[in-house]
Amino acid sequence: MKIKSNADRAWDIVFVIICLIVSAMCVIPMLNLLAKSLSATDFLVRNEVYIIPKGFNFDAYATVLKDSKYIRAFVWTVFLTVVCTILSLTMTTLCAYPLIFENLRGRGFINVFITITMFFNAGTIPNYLLMQKLGLLSNPLVLIIPGVMSVYNMIIMRSFFYGIPDSLRESAEIDGASFFKILVLIYLPLSKPVMATLALFYAVGRWNGYSDALMYMRDDKFYTLQLLLYNIINNINQVEVATQEGFSAPGLAESLKAAIVMFSTVPILCIYPFLQKYFIHGVTLGAVKE
């Protein structure tokens, strides 16, 4: 067993301190929001709530759960996240898999053409006009189709596929396996780490997304939870809007805002522990192998 030198121990201590500081920077804001969401309005008005709740109560969460617009937005966002994640993984796989075959005609051009889209974009106004011409404005499909695939994620998956030995595919081809059978029976079972990683990327991206709904969606029935939260925070200082949103006092407004943030953050955080064992493995392998 190797004995660490004093220099190594010192670096270990520095590294631990840095990790603790970074962890505290991530955790403390969440604890502050949780404390505000569980505190009485009197303490919030006087700015006396930091990390520990004061005047402990669940009034803000009760208000959220009793309001149909929050529940509707939550259910719609969950449905949208699940559908978009499944479709995105499907499209990413179907795009990445053919590009690993060297005998694919136009393979180099396709790779360059797809990569260019990572750096050049038409812009907000042309995209809006395109959605308008396609008749997708205020259509739920506008929240699914435009962002159905990420080129960056496709490159990660393609790189991961490159790391799978060609001999496995060649042996399956000798046995008469078809193009899609090889994908389903060989590549996908071996790609659980990268699939879980990209599923997390897509799910978090869709769950946190609100700009597309803000630009393209006019029907409040299809407002995502993040867009609803954006509207509340954006208008929280306007008394008449606050009253329409169910706020009766500044303290309650602050408490309810914190409760909605927690309401919209905790579900996606709960997914990570189930994918953690695949996450680092999938990112490192998919990112460095080519």
Side-chain angles (χ1 to χ4, degrees), residues 44-258:
L44 292 172
V45 172
R46 296 194 296 266
N47 292 323
E48 296 180 357
V49 179
Y50 298 101
I51 295 179
I52 300 175
K54 295 185 178 181
F56 193 87
N57 66 76
F58 291 94
D59 292 346
Y61 290 99
T63 302
V64 171
L65 294 175
K66 282 192 272 187
D67 197 320
S68 61
K69 67 175 177 291
Y70 298 125
I71 302 301
R72 182 174 64 244
F74 178 80
V75 173
W76 166 240
T77 305
V78 170
F79 174 79
L80 192 63
T81 300
V82 172
V83 170
C84 287
T85 301
I86 294 173
L87 290 178
S88 295
L89 282 177
T90 302
M91 294 299 297
T92 302
T93 303
L94 293 179
C95 181
Y97 179 55
L99 294 177
I100 66 173
F101 290 86
E102 295 182 358
N103 59 351
L104 176 66
R105 292 185 179 181
R107 175 170 170 260
F109 171 78
I110 295 172
N111 279 322
V112 173
F113 183 79
I114 291 176
T115 304
I116 288 175
T117 62
M118 292 179 62
F119 306 101
F120 298 96
N121 190 287
T124 302
I125 295 178
N127 283 332
Y128 181 88
L129 295 176
L130 176 62
M131 297 301 111
Q132 187 180 49
K133 291 292 184 181
L134 294 175
L136 291 177
L137 294 184
S138 293
N139 188 322
L141 292 177
V142 78
L143 303 178
I144 300 175
I145 296 177
V148 74
M149 192 189 78
S150 164
V151 175
Y152 175 77
N153 291 342
M154 187 280 295
I155 292 175
I156 291 178
M157 179 168 285
R158 185 193 63 186
S159 299
F160 190 93
F161 284 165
Y162 278 140
I164 297 177
D166 292 338
S167 56
L168 294 176
R169 184 180 75 243
E170 292 168 356
S171 61
E173 290 174 347
I174 293 175
D175 291 337
S178 64
F179 181 81
F180 285 104
K181 192 172 183 179
I182 294 173
L183 171 64
V184 173
L185 297 182
I186 296 179
Y187 278 83
L188 292 186
L190 295 175
S191 302
K192 288 181 181 179
V194 73
M195 294 287 284
T197 301
L198 297 187
L200 185 63
F201 286 169
Y202 279 123
V204 171
R206 179 61 271 172
W207 181 270
N208 291 332
Y210 73 93
S211 58
D212 50 355
L214 178 64
M215 287 188 293
Y216 304 134
M217 193 59 61
R218 298 292 176 265
D219 190 347
D220 58 5
K221 290 190 302 183
F222 298 109
Y223 277 8
T224 62
L225 189 61
Q226 304 300 334
L227 178 57
L228 188 63
L229 177 61
Y230 168 83
N231 289 335
I232 291 173
I233 294 177
N234 193 44
N235 300 317
I236 198 68
N237 294 323
Q238 300 180 23
V239 177
E240 64 276 8
V241 176
T243 302
Q244 292 175 7
E245 294 293 347
F247 304 124
S248 58
L252 180 58
E254 190 70 19
S255 177
L256 190 53
K257 182 174 67 174

Side-chain angles (χ1 to χ4, degrees), residues 31-48:
L31 293 178
N32 178 253
L33 282 173
L34 180 61
K36 288 182 176 180
S37 67
L38 295 173
S39 297
T41 58
D42 295 340
F43 296 99
L44 292 172
V45 172
R46 296 194 296 266
N47 292 323
E48 296 180 357

